[in-house]
Amino acid sequence: MVGDAISHSVLPGIVIAYLVGSQTQSSLVLIGAAIFGVLTTIIIDFLYRKLKLQEDASIGLTFTWLFAFGVLLISFFAQGNVDLDQECVLFGELGLAFLDKIIIDGRLYGTKSIATLLPAFLLVLMFVVRGFKGFQLNAFQAEFAQTKGIKTGFWHFALMGMVSVVTVLSFESVGAILVVGFLVVPPATAYLLVNDLKRLHIFSLCIATLNILMGYFLALKLNVSISPTIITVSGVVFFLTFVFKTTKFRLFNSPRIPVK
Amino acid sequence: MNSIEVHNLTVAYQQLPVLWDVDFELPKGQIIGIVGPNGSGKSTLLKAIMELVPLSSGYVKILDKSLDQMRKHVAYVPQRETVDWNFPASVRDVVKMGRYQPGRLFKRLTDLDNQLVDEAIEKVKLTPFANRQIGQLSGGQQQRVFIARALAQGADVYLMDEPFVGVDVATEKAIMDLLQAMRDEGKTIVVVHHDLQAVTANFDYLVLLNTRLIAHGAIGDVLTSENLQATYGGQLNLFAQLQQIIQEKDFPIREKGFEDK
Ligand SMILES: Nc1ncnc2c1ncn2[C@@H]1O[C@H](COP(=O)(O)OP(=O)(O)OP(=O)(O)O)[C@@H](O)[C@H]1O
Ligand SMILES: [Mg+2]
């Protein structure tokens, strides 16, 4: 899971940014994390394609190594007297995201999460819509793209770069489970329902939104923490969709057993 | 002018040569078969021509120019096993990819592009299936999707890796007719194919390959028992069948000793 890997392997980037910037400047930390996020995908890709390692082995090797390196950097430079740990930089909590208010002249302009994630969302959305053909072709058959002289490396790293940046930004705001869960579960649910790439994107977004709304209000009602509830709801939705699909499938495709 | 020239081509996977000093020139406007046993490097040869695998030595020319200059004029149909059939794409989506060009990926396809796509789908008789997801097609239909994509590219040279695998007799005939119509328009079609009988009946030109180039030339000139033995080696059973085919087809057998037997 590349998203999971990135969440760990960005640690050295955060530490280095911290050391360079001498304080937890969040913009610098984000840049450092994003650089290491992209680096992670490059190393994984190298191990997988050039050294022919299995994909899960490539991912496991890369992120454990980078994470360990980050921990070493902390213990070497910070010598235990600095309040820098991955938790405080990375693992946000959705329930607390509203605390980071942006108030200018006594007016509320939203939260820091909105200020970072909304532009990121719009940029990614624009890029995916405009570059749809490139991403589609590269995901389906990079080899064919190559025969047409299309720069497959550009599309691969554009995608991985966006995953890294969005992962890092979202980790800070909503925390680990939600990011990793939402990288996978809504598209997987949508994949059960449609077999058209454009619709897959639209359905994923709709399903994700529904999951969030249902999970959020359920959590409020039950007075439990929000993120795990949303993920639980997402899982249930996936399961129900799966059941719905297989039974429907059976209804329409069941061979007529001749009555004797 | 030659359609494809390959000179001193050597390709190795992890130090192990799969193609060794292969050197040939192919004519234009013909259907050209590439024949050899499993693992003889046929797919690798097509990939090397498309620069999908690194060349250890040698070079390739297409219509007298480098591949980079001629990319728009070559279409490549990969072996069917290499395709992800679960990918959320319809027949039309895949054929459209034939019209994607570097530098035009951020733009919409034009009306002309869409027209060429529809024509290509029509030619392989998949119009009723145009909106179906590619995994929900029969083997023969799947094969035709990728032929349609190559057609949509509007190329002059077509490289097809085993387009007849998993295809029934009727579809094979339909594809063969299509290829012959393309040839009659002056296109060059290079096809990897296992069925020597079909090759001798329908193709114009033959490349026999087994890591090294065994022979290449017009079908009648190349199909000698000597060449086939060199290509298929110890597979005597197969070899006997091939002799049968040659006799049935009444091809001029150029090797002398053969007639005496
Ligand atoms: N990516 C790869 N890495 C290592 N070896 C490979 C790779 N691809 C092919 N080979 C080896 O190269 C040789 C030639 O393979 P190739 O696919 O070109 O054969 P082929 O003639 O197309 O065979 P087939 O008739 O089975 O399709 C085989 O021995 C194969 O094992
Ligand atoms: Mg092959």
Side-chain angles (χ1 to χ4, degrees):
Chain A
M1 258 278 345
V2 177
D4 212 8
I6 287 172
S7 64
H8 285 84
S9 54
V10 292
L11 185 61
I14 294 168
V15 180
I16 291 168
Y18 175 81
L19 292 172
V20 171
S22 79
Q23 54 170 330
T24 16
Q25 264 177 300
S26 57
S27 58
L28 200 60
V29 165
L30 280 176
I31 292 168
I35 289 173
F36 269 78
V38 176
L39 191 67
T40 308
T41 64
I42 293 176
I43 298 175
I44 291 173
D45 203 59
F46 175 79
L47 293 175
Y48 176 58
R49 288 206 211 172
K50 290 272 147 49
L51 300 190
K52 308 272 181 214
L53 223 61
Q54 281 158 318
E55 194 165 22
D56 49 359
S58 311
I59 292 172
L61 196 148
T62 309
F63 90 80
T64 47
W65 187 78
L66 282 173
F67 185 66
F69 178 61
V71 174
L72 269 185
L73 276 182
I74 293 180
S75 59
F76 191 71
F77 288 105
Q79 301 295 353
N81 59 356
V82 184
D83 68 318
L84 176 81
D85 64 343
Q86 199 194 13
E87 311 287 312
C88 80
V89 195
L90 267 186
F91 292 141
E93 159 61 44
L94 186 61
L96 303 177
F98 71 93
L99 289 178
D100 237 334
K101 292 191 184 79
I102 298 173
I103 297 172
I104 300 166
D105 298 338
R107 278 205 208 153
L108 177 67
Y109 281 90
T111 67
K112 206 182 111 222
S113 302
I114 293 177
T116 53
L117 282 174
L118 190 63
F121 170 70
L122 293 176
L123 280 176
V124 168
L125 187 69
M126 208 178 72
F127 195 26
V128 170
V129 170
R130 291 299 305 274
F132 188 81
K133 293 208 282 293
F135 292 117
Q136 175 204 32
L137 186 55
N138 207 50
F140 178 55
Q141 236 181 3
E143 199 169 67
F144 177 74
Q146 233 174 309
T147 68
K148 301 212 80 178
I150 290 163
K151 302 264 175 290
T152 52
F154 167 79
W155 294 99
H156 178 75
F157 288 115
L159 183 63
M160 287 305 155
M162 288 196 300
V163 171
S164 311
V165 172
V166 170
T167 305
V168 169
L169 288 176
S170 316
F171 256 90
E172 208 202 2
S173 306
V174 302
I177 328 174
L178 269 189
V179 176
V180 177
F182 270 61
L183 278 176
V184 185
V185 183
T189 313
Y191 186 70
L192 293 173
L193 294 171
V194 295
N195 45 32
D196 172 283
L197 193 58
K198 269 187 191 138
R199 270 185 229 151
L200 187 74
H201 280 82
I202 297 166
F203 270 62
S204 298
L205 289 177
C206 295
I207 291 169
T209 311
L210 279 176
N211 288 345
I212 289 167
L213 290 176
M214 288 189 294
Y216 181 74
F217 287 109
L218 188 66
L220 286 194
K221 192 140 194 115
L222 301 178
N223 198 20
V224 289
S225 52
I226 299 165
S227 307
T229 316
I230 291 178
I231 294 297
T232 310
V233 166
S234 306
V236 170
V237 168
F238 174 82
F239 181 73
L240 289 179
T241 312
F242 179 74
V243 170
F244 167 75
K245 193 197 156 178
T246 41
T247 49
K248 196 180 93 179
F249 182 75
R250 282 217 198 97
L251 280 181
F252 287 113
N253 289 320
S254 61
R256 295 245 171 86
I257 300 160
V259 187
K260 281 183 187 166
Chain B
M1 185 164 47
N2 299 310
S3 59
I4 295 176
E5 280 175 44
V6 169
H7 292 297
N8 299 108
L9 180 75
T10 296
V11 176
Y13 291 116
Q14 285 122 31
Q15 327 290 327
L16 215 79
V18 169
L19 291 173
W20 184 261
D21 201 21
V22 171
D23 200 297
F24 59 73
E25 292 166 3
L26 300 179
K28 256 178 77 173
Q30 302 207 348
I31 302 182
I32 299 163
I34 298 185
V35 171
N38 290 133
S40 55
K42 305 180 296 293
S43 298
T44 305
L45 176 63
L46 296 195
K47 285 184 189 163
I49 292 171
M50 295 311 293
E51 290 180 8
L52 292 172
V53 289
L55 314 185
S56 304
S57 74
Y59 65 95
V60 173
K61 282 198 162 180
I62 291 166
L63 300 169
D64 285 351
K65 299 213 174 73
S66 74
L67 176 68
D68 271 331
Q69 291 168 291
M70 301 306 286
R71 281 190 193 276
K72 277 194 176 167
H73 302 268
V74 209
Y76 168 65
V77 178
Q79 217 165 331
R80 208 171 86 215
E81 300 85 83
T82 63
V83 175
D84 173 9
W85 295 105
N86 291 321
F87 194 85
S90 67
V91 171
R92 180 172 279 112
D93 290 336
V94 172
V95 178
K96 273 182 178 175
M97 291 175 192
R99 300 303 305 163
Y100 291 5
Q101 301 298 346
R104 266 181 48 201
L105 282 173
F106 286 107
K107 299 202 181 87
R108 283 170 166 274
L109 290 184
T110 63
D111 290 345
L112 176 67
D113 287 326
N114 285 316
Q115 188 191 328
L116 290 170
V117 167
D118 287 337
E119 282 171 16
I121 296 175
E122 181 70 48
K123 272 189 193 153
V124 299
K125 306 201 172 62
L126 282 180
T127 311
F129 305 97
N131 293 319
R132 197 176 283 191
Q133 196 264 331
I134 52 171
Q136 299 165 0
L137 298 168
S138 75
Q141 291 164 344
Q142 291 180 335
Q143 199 66 69
R144 282 184 278 157
V145 174
F146 285 85
I147 293 175
R149 183 175 70 181
L151 288 174
Q153 285 179 255
D156 297 309
V157 178
Y158 295 79
L159 306 178
M160 304 188 177
D161 202 343
E162 307 207 15
F164 295 106
V165 168
V167 163
D168 67 17
V169 184
T171 310
E172 174 165 348
K173 171 91 173 60
I175 296 178
M176 202 66 90
D177 288 346
L178 186 65
L179 299 188
Q180 279 165 353
M182 288 160 67
R183 177 208 39 211
D184 296 341
E185 287 170 20
K187 316 272 189 197
T188 306
I189 304 130
V190 180
V191 183
V192 174
H193 197 9
H194 274 295
D195 182 354
L196 253 180
Q197 193 147 12
V199 170
T200 50
N202 298 295
F203 289 18
D204 308 307
Y205 198 93
L206 194 59
V207 175
L208 287 174
L209 193 70
N210 195 346
T211 306
R212 296 160 188 273
L213 177 69
I214 307 295
H216 69 109
I219 295 270
D221 297 339
V222 170
L223 270 186
T224 66
S225 60
E226 197 181 36
N227 281 342
L228 290 175
Q229 178 130 47
T231 310
Y232 286 93
Q235 292 160 299
L236 287 174
N237 187 23
L238 183 62
F239 179 58
Q241 285 174 18
L242 295 173
Q243 287 184 323
Q244 187 95 37
I245 292 171
I246 294 169
Q247 276 167 344
E248 278 170 12
K249 289 285 158 195
D250 218 14
F251 270 101
I253 304 298
R254 302 180 89 211
E255 203 208 4
K256 287 210 177 78
F258 188 74
E259 286 130 318
D260 302 336
K261 280 178 196 167

